[in-house]
Every structure is written in C-alpha cells, then in structure tokens.
Amino acid sequence: MPKWTHLGLVAFLLLSAATAGAADIDWWENAALYQIYPRSFQDSDGDGIGDLKGITSRLGYLKEIGITATWLSPIFTSPMSDFGYDISNFYDIDPIFGTLSDFDALIVEAKSLGVKIILDFVPNHSSDENEWFEKSVNREEGYDDFYVWDDGKLNEVTGEREAPSNWISVFGGPMWTWNEKRQQYFLHQFQVKQPDLNFTNPMVREHMLDVLKFWLDRGVDGFRIDAVPHIYEKREANGSYPDEPISGWSNNPEAYDYHDHIYTKDQPATVDLMYEWRAYLDAYQAENGGDSRVLLAEAYSSVETLSAYFGNSTNLGTQLPMNFQLMYLDGYSTARDVVGSIDYWMNTMWRDHQTANWVIGNHDTIRVADRMGAHKVDLLNVIVNALPGASVTYYGEEIGMSNVEIACTGDSCEDRDGERTPMQWTPGQNADFSSGETTWLPVNPDYVRYNVQTERGVARSSLNIFKRLQALKSSSAFLSFKEEGGFSYEAVTEQVLQIIRTNKISEEYRILVNMGNNMEILDGLDSKTYEYVLVTAYSPRYPGNTVNLKERIILMPYEAVVLRWHA
Ligand SMILES: *[C@@H]1O[C@H](CO)[C@@H](O)[C@H](O)[C@H]1NC(C)=O
Ligand SMILES: *[C@@H]1O[C@H](CO)[C@@H](O)[C@H](O)[C@H]1NC(C)=O
Ligand SMILES: *[C@@H]1O[C@H](CO)[C@@H](O)[C@H](O)[C@H]1NC(C)=O
Ligand SMILES: CC(=O)N[C@H]1CO[C@H](CO)[C@@H](O)[C@@H]1O
Ligand SMILES: [Ca+2]
Ligand SMILES: [Ca+2]
C-alpha cells in the first residue's frame, strides 16, 4: 500500500470526503472519554477502597473538566482474583462497590449532569465461582457446553494425558487446566480462575445479550468490551486444537510471547460477534429512543483487524475500536515518531471510515509521566485532544499523576498496581480519596503538589490545560474535521509536531508541540498572524500574545502552544 503523504491526505479529503458538518457528528465521534478505575476514584465509607457512592459524588468533577462519557472498570460481583475482571454474577454489583440502588443513583446523577456512563463488559470469561461454571462442571442441562471443555490428548510415549494443545495463557503458564470433578480440561486465556465461555454456543451468546439488556434497562450508554481478540479460539472440524508456532520473541516457553497467537487471537468469528452486538444496541435504541448506545472494543490488534471490527456501511460493528498506537511511544519518541503512530491509524481507519480515537493510558500500562517523562504529560494531552475523533483519558492523567513503586510480596504481587493508586483530590489526608486510616494502595506522596484542588488555582497546571483543551475540542473548528481540508498534521522538524484544525471559513488553529529538549526556531510556517490561545508551563508567552508566522516562531524545550487565526 502506498504511504499516505500528509499533503495527500488533505487532497484525499478534498476529493472524496462527504461534506459532513458538525451537525452530522454523533456524540461518540468527538467524545472526551474518561476511564475510572472504581477501586481508586473515591471512597465514600472509609474502608480505603473506592466505590459507587464515591464516584457519584465526583461526577460533577467530570462535568467541570469537560468529559462526555466515562467508562468504569468492572463493578460486578467478583471474587476479585483479577480485580473485577473475573465476574461471578454479571447481574449484580460487588458489595465492595455498593448495591444496585447505588448504581441507579449514580445513573440518575450522571443523567442530570449530562455525563454518559459506559460499563466494562467482560464477555470472554467468567469467574470460576460463577454459578454458570459450577453448573457446567456438573454437566447440568443447558450448561454442559457453556465453557470450552476437552479430554486432552494421550501422549503415546509416556501414556499420560496431556493438554489438548500447547497454548500459553496471557498471564503465563498453560491455557488449559484439568478439572478433577468433570475429568476434563477447561480453557482459560487469562487466569485459571477465569474460564473462557464457549461463544460458538448460541445459549452463551443469548445469555450475554441478556446481560447487555439488563444494564441498558438501568440506563447505561454503552459498553467497553474487554479482551475482544480472545473471545474465540480455533478448533478443527474433528474437534482438535492446533498447536501455535514459536514466535521467536521470547526464550521462556512459559511466557505468552513465546508463541505467535494465530489460533487464539482475532479469529474470524469475532467480527460477526461485533456486528451481532452492535445490531442489538441499535435495535435497543430504535425501540427505546435516546442517544446512540456505543461499543468500545479493547483489542490489542493490528489496525487492519480493528477496521474489520468497525465494519462497513452494511455491517456496523464497534464504534470505537480502541487505538493504542500512542501508548507505544516512549521518552525518546520524536515528533516524527508521533506522526508515524498517527499515520498507522489514519492510513487505514481514517481513510476507510473517517473515524479515530486516541488512548494514552489505562490500568494495565504505566502512566505517561513515567513512560515518557513528567514534562511530556501536557504534550500528550494536547496531542490526543487536538487530533480529530474521540480522546480517552485514564483517571489522573489530567493532573499529571505518576506511578507509585509498590513492593511485590508473594501471592498478592500485582505488577500493574503502580498505575492504580488513589485519585489525588486535595492536599489533605489521603488526598481526600478516603477518610479511612489506610487506602487499598498507597496514595502517591507527590499528591501534595499534584491534586485537583491545588491545580485548579495554578494557571498553567495540567488540569487547567486539560480543561482548556476540552473547550477547544467542542468548538466549531475542531468539530468540522469531516469537512474537506478540515485538518492536517505533520512533523515540521524532527521534534516539532504541527496539527491544523480549521472550519475553513473564519477560523484556523495551529497546534505546535515541541517533543524535544532543544529550542526550536521555525521560519515562515505560514503567512498569517495568530493569537496564542493556549500555552503550557514551559512557554514564555501569554494567552493573547500574537505571532506572525510569516516571520519566526520560537518554541522552548517541551513547549506546546495552540495558536488561533480568525477572519
Ligand atoms: C460449544 O458449544 C457448541 C454448541 O452448543 C458445541 O457444538 C461445541 O462443541 C462447544 N464447544 C466446546 C469446545 O465445547
Ligand atoms: C484433526 O484435523 C486436523 C486438521 O485437519 C489434523 O491436522 C489433525 O491431525 C486431526 N486430528 C485427528 C486426531 O484426527
Ligand atoms: C462489508 O463487510 C462484509 C464482511 O464483513 C463484506 O462481506 C461486505 O462485502 C462489505 N460490504 C461493503 C459495502 O464493503
Ligand atoms: C486494558 C484492559 O482492560 N485489560 C484487561 C484485559 O482483560 C484482562 C482479563 O479480563 C484483564 O486482566 C485486563 O486488565
Ligand atoms: Ca469504600
Ligand atoms: Ca475465549
């Protein structure tokens, strides 16, 4: 495929884009999305663990910072072996987080504020403590085939029984575990305590639609689907499971990376499942009214695969196949690297579907401050909000939270805890996350400086920059991205990224981001005079200053600015 040049991209938009105006944009297409990790957002009862009442009390904050919709990591009943990603009852709230009536109260408050609520939906597996699994172990009628069971193979040399295939689970170790009671192996792509459901079984799919309906009826605006690529596995017509080839990426035969996951990831049936769920949501909307219900898909897959999950005009799939490309940047990434990451998405998803979304963090990835450096947090917030489409912010990134190093002790060792520490609200005790004596994870000691209350009062804090970005994101030039020539992006030097957003009539914004630690001098970028409308902490300029781009503009190390020209 020919590489798309940025001029070419603009030309392409000129030639072929429908002249869709802001009015044609559905809410999710330009949404500011925000991920809440419920254990860590706000504790309401002093037990040191965040909960639903806590979230409800903080919804006003989401409104304040311009969030369209928030998605909550799982809040369902769970033995918490994988902190809620192991669900024992898909129809209830875990007591740690509250009750169904707390949830209903949350929805009422969210609706009155105009903040949409999206739930994490974990279809691939349940907890082994789910009654469905117990029924399946006991081969109860209707549940016999609910999970992926197999007798395994007989090793002809040793005469011993072996797992059906060589598959390795995502967290390491075999993907098959023997169940004494049923005398069969069951499949688990994640932990042993997370047996995979059998999605070729229509009964399982029906149960899952029923789960969706249950929460839609309670007023949710959509679902973020966990672990989409892992839903189906390859099974031969004769019932056997083919071994996966060695990848060459790891020397450890117990590690997930040891194999190339051609039979346990992104199997073709997954695409149809996306269409099935989207059709269900659309039918629900048609019947019940209201705004579009959305599907966000978590899939660490190629952009080409994500394109298939999105679907086309006849087969609609997930609206927001989450784009993790920017999460692969690190402290050494230059503006050209950023452009490369943007290109990968634009060359496929934008070209084919004119849709985009940008994720820079989640509960499985170290925070931007640690991954790229504290001085780059604002730069990344500027980039994801300046690009067209939906932005996805992990709680705390808007105030520049960083990882906490948490000692790993024995069984409770969880290497993803560092990015899951309590939200930092004020410089008070426990950052006002909890009134308890201790919190489930320690509050980052830097909370005295990085917290919502303090940052509200600092003109160029990460928080105030973030808020300003949200205001821009919903203004006409930023909404008109589907119009011809509505935007472009390029690396004007190795270290300076430029994004242009314009409504082509009265307004043009130039966003300049210096990713490097050197001063950058740019001559003759354009012929117009611009006003500084947003400046970051490293900028010597003030909002309201002007600059004539026919002459020169100087950018300090790690400076990002938004310039505005108007007719
Ligand atoms: C999954 O369910 C289908 C339909 O009930 C059944 O034919 C199939 O054998 C099951 N698959 C496994 C691996 O149990
Ligand atoms: C089942 O079918 C696959 C693919 O056709 C083949 O490779 C495998 O040897 C077969 N296994 C058995 C036990 O017949
Ligand atoms: C849409 O995608 C399906 C496959 O999922 C394909 O069969 C169909 O031809 C596509 N339609 C269009 C209009 O591209
Ligand atoms: C980013 C994300 O949500 N990752 C989750 C994927 O699914 C596994 C198993 O459900 C979880 O452990 C991850 O946290
Ligand atoms: Ca609590
Ligand atoms: Ca699966």
Side-chain angles (χ1 to χ4, degrees):
M1 188 194 301
K3 191 165 154 47
W4 213 256
T5 67
H6 307 300
L7 272 178
L9 180 59
V10 174
F12 166 78
L13 292 170
L14 262 165
L15 287 171
S16 64
T19 46
D24 300 326
I25 295 174
D26 202 352
W27 70 266
W28 52 269
E29 295 184 84
N30 191 51
L33 300 164
Y34 189 89
Q35 178 187 355
I36 288 179
Y37 196 66
R39 294 180 79 84
S40 302
F41 203 56
Q42 180 65 55
D43 175 23
S44 72
D45 58 2
D47 70 352
I49 304 175
D51 45 51
L52 291 184
K53 279 188 177 149
I55 293 172
T56 306
S57 73
R58 295 292 189 185
L59 287 174
Y61 168 72
L62 299 189
K63 186 74 191 166
E64 171 193 337
I65 66 172
I67 299 304
T68 320
T70 181
W71 67 270
L72 312 178
S73 285
I75 51 177
F76 315 107
T77 320
S78 163
M80 299 287 164
S81 172
D82 187 15
F83 288 127
Y85 284 93
D86 49 323
I87 299 171
S88 50
N89 183 352
F90 285 82
Y91 298 99
D92 206 351
I93 303 287
D94 194 274
I96 286 182
F97 298 124
T99 62
L100 277 172
S101 58
D102 293 339
F103 182 78
D104 293 341
L106 183 151
I107 292 284
V108 168
E109 175 71 359
K111 290 213 188 301
S112 85
L113 288 166
V115 174
K116 294 185 188 297
I117 301 291
I118 293 172
L119 289 187
D120 212 327
F121 178 53
V122 188
N124 178 65
H125 48 267
S126 75
S127 163
D128 63 347
E129 296 177 31
N130 193 303
E131 64 167 15
W132 298 342
F133 189 68
E134 282 161 29
K135 289 181 177 174
S136 196
V137 167
N138 294 324
R139 293 186 183 272
E140 274 183 39
E141 201 184 333
Y143 290 90
D144 196 359
D145 281 346
F146 231 66
Y147 293 82
V148 183
W149 295 103
D150 196 85
D151 292 336
K153 298 186 291 202
L154 210 60
N155 183 320
E156 282 171 13
V157 183
T158 63
E160 307 240 333
R161 193 191 291 277
E162 279 180 355
S165 65
N166 70 352
W167 298 349
I168 306 283
S169 73
V170 175
F171 297 142
M175 202 184 273
W176 297 98
T177 293
W178 180 254
N179 180 279
E180 273 304 325
K181 188 143 190 221
R182 180 157 155 156
Q183 290 286 304
Q184 273 190 313
Y185 287 93
F186 65 92
L187 180 112
H188 52 91
Q189 288 235 20
F190 295 90
Q191 294 181 5
V192 181
K193 284 187 68 63
Q194 295 169 307
D196 277 45
L197 288 152
N198 170 12
F199 267 87
T200 50
N201 186 338
M203 275 269 293
V204 169
R205 294 206 302 277
E206 237 169 73
H207 271 64
M208 283 301 166
L209 292 181
D210 193 53
V211 171
L212 295 183
K213 181 171 187 316
F214 179 85
W215 295 103
L216 287 168
D217 287 347
R218 294 196 108 86
V220 307
D221 298 286
F223 302 92
R224 176 266 188 197
I225 312 162
D226 181 59
V228 168
H230 305 275
I231 294 177
Y232 286 98
E233 296 78 27
K234 169 84 176 171
R235 191 184 187 211
E236 304 288 7
N238 60 17
S240 73
Y241 295 90
D243 282 347
E244 287 188 327
I246 290 167
S247 68
W249 300 321
S250 168
N251 294 324
N252 174 6
E254 295 277 290
Y256 186 59
D257 280 352
Y258 192 69
H259 290 148
D260 192 1
H261 302 289
I262 56 175
Y263 299 129
T264 57
K265 268 194 81 181
D266 294 318
Q267 299 302 296
T270 320
V271 176
D272 296 317
L273 191 64
M274 292 300 114
Y275 300 160
E276 188 176 317
W277 286 341
R278 173 66 182 275
Y280 188 80
L281 293 191
D282 287 351
Y284 189 93
Q285 185 196 1
E287 205 172 301
N288 296 278
D291 291 345
S292 303
R293 313 299 198 279
V294 296
L295 285 179
L296 280 66
E298 181 221 25
Y300 290 90
S301 304
S302 71
V303 176
E304 290 75 12
T305 303
L306 297 181
S307 178
Y309 290 161
F310 183 86
N312 57 33
S313 52
T314 29
N315 290 307
L316 299 173
T318 167
Q319 287 99 327
L320 292 158
M322 294 175 100
N323 170 15
F324 299 122
Q325 293 307 316
L326 294 178
M327 287 204 323
Y328 304 134
L329 300 172
D330 62 25
Y332 300 102
S333 301
T334 65
R336 274 195 219 294
D337 297 329
V338 177
V339 165
S341 297
I342 300 173
D343 276 346
Y344 186 35
W345 184 271
M346 292 314 227
N347 291 345
T348 302
M349 288 299 290
W350 189 266
R351 185 199 55 206
D352 294 348
H353 311 298
Q354 294 214 352
T355 191
N357 72 82
W358 312 94
V359 183
I360 46 169
N362 62 27
H363 62 281
D364 287 339
T365 317
I366 61 169
R367 288 185 177 274
V368 175
D370 301 85
R371 201 183 330 135
M372 303 191 63
H375 43 282
K376 291 193 180 158
V377 169
D378 295 339
L379 305 189
L380 266 288
N381 283 339
V382 167
I383 293 168
V384 296
N385 287 293
L387 289 168
S391 61
V392 187
T393 300
Y394 181 53
Y395 83 95
E397 292 293 352
E398 76 280 14
I399 55 169
M401 272 174 66
S402 55
N403 270 56
V404 177
E405 225 170 284
I406 289 162
C408 262
T409 47
D411 282 351
S412 63
C413 186
E414 170 60 86
D415 63 2
R416 296 173 292 175
D417 280 348
E419 59 266 16
R420 298 175 178 180
T421 59
M423 178 66 181
Q424 297 161 203
W425 296 105
T426 76
Q429 198 198 335
N430 291 335
D432 262 351
F433 159 73
S434 170
S435 61
E437 304 224 317
T438 55
T439 54
W440 81 283
L441 286 178
V443 177
N444 191 327
D446 75 3
Y447 79 94
V448 182
R449 176 170 168 204
Y450 296 97
N451 66 72
V452 170
Q453 185 183 306
T454 303
E455 291 193 29
R456 277 189 186 123
V458 176
R460 298 186 189 188
S461 65
S462 295
L463 181 67
N464 281 327
I465 289 166
F466 186 89
K467 284 196 211 174
R468 188 82 193 90
L469 287 166
Q470 299 316 320
L472 287 171
K473 191 172 164 60
S474 50
S475 70
S476 94
F478 285 73
L479 280 174
S480 64
F481 57 87
K482 291 198 170 180
E483 288 171 33
E484 42 188 56
F487 89 102
S488 67
Y489 62 96
E490 67 178 308
V492 289
T493 69
E494 185 65 35
Q495 290 292 3
V496 177
L497 172 71
Q498 171 178 265
I499 299 170
I500 299 180
R501 306 298 301 267
T502 171
N503 63 12
K504 295 232 312 177
I505 308 159
S506 55
E507 264 191 320
E508 179 183 298
Y509 288 87
R510 264 172 207 256
I511 296 99
L512 294 168
V513 179
N514 182 2
M515 297 291 293
N517 59 2
N518 285 310
M519 206 203 283
E520 294 275 343
I521 301 171
L522 304 163
D523 287 312
L525 267 187
D526 190 64
S527 57
K528 303 190 285 292
T529 296
Y530 291 76
E531 182 188 332
Y532 286 84
V533 293
L534 183 148
V535 289
T536 51
Y538 293 94
S539 180
R541 304 284 166 185
Y542 291 88
N545 286 170
T546 56
V547 59
N548 184 343
L549 289 188
K550 204 191 312 187
E551 284 147 29
R552 95 177 358 179
I553 182 168
I554 297 173
L555 292 173
M556 301 309 282
Y558 310 126
E559 181 181 355
V561 294
V562 178
L563 306 173
R564 173 175 181 259
W565 166 86
H566 65 101

